[in-house]
């Protein structure tokens, strides 16, 4: 759906206010408790944030990519954990069902994902399967009308609170690589599905990741997305463009928050009898960050528009993910520098953001994997 300008502006303003008045004030509590307060989760549901990208027919807001990135620019100014809570429902946890799911799968899961009643998790990574994602080893053995899942998934975001797992598993052990892989919808509570205790991470407290083990976990054949085995990896690849643009927008939003914090501190902090903002070496850092943020924001908006116009944006999405995730790392580093010793102290948000944004260069394809995709697409084009 393309919203009319007034409705979109209203939605963005609402999210901005929510970020300023509700999310930013609870950031220290989330850091302390490693959990998002339940009342905030409820308010996020009421705002429709779990269903941004899910079609209206299934209970979501059905935003276009260009609209979704504008919401991400607003939402991502708060700690990335809030975005992570709704990230899977809007991204890889729902888009596979939207694109390739059967009518029954859409009817069963999309309204509950859109409302936030169910949190989705996407389980691809394994102890020995990371960047080489097509090497999925978790086995799904066919037994009559069911499949029996065995193996372990690693670092699965939202696993401890998930109601639905999209699990990539190998249905055909005789086929190496992507073609032998299927995507299964497995509800939490299915016997044989075990979520381990949450991982201890560098940052993004408030978002929980964990190992998910499958021990003779039996699911019906109808749990395969689209009902046809062997298409799971293709499904995952189809939704990645959207996910990468969303992450790139979140990186820009985090960079914008880091700049606001840096600017405010530089105006207030005095050394040598004047605010440090008046020193040209501090101004240079602010200006470099602002320039990079402008570049990132512009490329994300451009790629989102192209995707909405029906163009293939695999190369552009990877360019955005690569540039924006690296860019926010540099902006965070400068933000700590501008804060001096205070930037190393946990009392200041930049210390937390510095750790939080490190993840963006790692998941949904590392920077090296984005480089490989960009080069592959260039070679294809030439
Ligand atoms: C907090 C967190 C949350 C996550 N959430 C999820 C989730 O919800 N679901 C999920 O499925 N996964 C999730 N992941 C996993 C994440 O997607 C992987 O960690 C990531 O894809 C990298 O895989 P890896 O960790 O195995 O690193 P590896 O693949 O082992 O890579 C190690 C290094 O080698 C480099 N490298 C690998 N291959 C090449 C190559 N061909 N050329 C050049 N360099 C290469 C990488 O870039 C990296 O620098 C999460 C990870 C983290 C840390």
């Amino acid at each position: 759906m393309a919203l009319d300008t007034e409705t979109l502006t209203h939605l963005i303003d609402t999210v901005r206010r929510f970020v300023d008045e509700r999310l930013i004030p609870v950031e220290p509590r989330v850091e302390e408790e490693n959990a998002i307060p339940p009342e905030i989760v409820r308010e996020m549901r009421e705002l429709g944030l779990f269903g941004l990208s899910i079609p209206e027919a299934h209970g979501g807001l059905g935003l276009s990519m260009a609209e979704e990135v504008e919401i991400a620019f607003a939402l991502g100014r708060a700690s990335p954990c809030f975005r992570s809570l709704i990230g899977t429902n809007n991204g890889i946890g729902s888009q596979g069902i939207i694109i390739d799911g059967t009518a029954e799968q859409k009817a069963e899961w999309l309204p509950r994902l859109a409302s936030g009643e169910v949190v989705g998790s996407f389980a691809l990574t394994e102890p020995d399967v990371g960047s080489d994602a097509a090497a999925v080893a978790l086995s799904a053995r066919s037994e009559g009308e069911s499949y029996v899942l065995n193996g372990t998934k690693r670092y699965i975001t939202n696993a401890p609170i998930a109601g639905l797992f999209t699990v990539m598993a190998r249905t055909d052990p005789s086929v190496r690589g992507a073609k032998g892989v299927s995507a299964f919808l497995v509800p939490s509570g299915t016997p044989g599905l075990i979520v381990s205790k949450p991982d201890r991470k560098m940052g993004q407290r408030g978002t929980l990741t964990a190992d998910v083990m499958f021990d003779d976990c039996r699911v019906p054949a109808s749990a395969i997305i689209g009902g046809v085995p062997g298409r799971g990896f293709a499904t995952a690849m189809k939704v990645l463009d959207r996910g990468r643009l969303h992450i790139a927008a979140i990186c820009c939003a985090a960079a914008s928050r880091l700049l606001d914090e840096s600017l405010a501190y530089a105006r207030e902090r005095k050394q040598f009898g004047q605010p440090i903002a008046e020193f040209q070496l501090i101004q240079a850092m602010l200006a470099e960050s602002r320039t990079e943020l402008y570049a990132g924001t512009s490329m994300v908006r451009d790629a989102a528009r192209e995707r909405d116009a029906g163009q293939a944006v695999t190369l552009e999405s990877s360019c955005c993910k690569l540039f924006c995730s690296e860019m926010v790392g540099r902006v965070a580093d400068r933000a700590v520098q501008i804060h001096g010793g205070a930037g190393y102290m946990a009392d200041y948000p930049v210390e937390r953001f510095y750790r939080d944004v490190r993840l963006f260069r790692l998941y949904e394809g590392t920077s090296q994997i984005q480089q490989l995709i960009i080069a592959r697409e260039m070679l294809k084009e030439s």
Side-chain angles (χ1 to χ4, degrees), residues 84 88 92 120-133 153-159 166 168 199 201-204 207-210 359 361-372:
S84 280
T88 35
I92 207 140
S121 258
F122 179 78
L124 171 62
T125 306
E126 300 179 5
D128 294 321
V129 179
S131 298
D132 185 10
K153 294 294 182 182
R154 180 136 294 172
Y155 309 145
I156 304 307
T157 301
N158 289 335
T166 299
M168 307 301 283
D199 299 318
K201 312 193 298 315
M202 176 192 287
Q204 300 218 2
T207 304
L208 303 181
T209 66
L359 179 57
R361 283 185 260 170
L362 300 171
Y363 69 1
E364 302 227 7
T366 63
S367 290
Q368 289 70 39
I369 294 304
Q370 306 308 328
Q371 287 171 321
L372 294 180

Side-chain angles (χ1 to χ4, degrees), residues 248-262:
I250 292 292
C251 291
C252 293
S256 139
R257 169 74 182 282
L258 282 156
L259 256 172
D260 288 350
E261 297 286 344
S262 303

Side-chain angles (χ1 to χ4, degrees), residues 320-360:
C320 290
K321 161 73 163 67
L322 173 63
F323 179 81
C324 296
S325 61
E326 296 279 338
M327 176 273 288
V328 71
R330 292 189 292 272
V331 171
D333 192 65
R334 290 185 203 114
V336 170
Q337 198 66 20
I338 290 167
H339 278 70
Y344 202 71
M345 298 296 149
D347 292 341
Y348 289 84
V350 296
E351 180 272 340
R352 179 163 33 83
F353 268 79
Y354 180 82
R355 290 182 283 109
D356 287 351
V357 302
R358 189 63 185 83
L359 179 57
F360 295 131

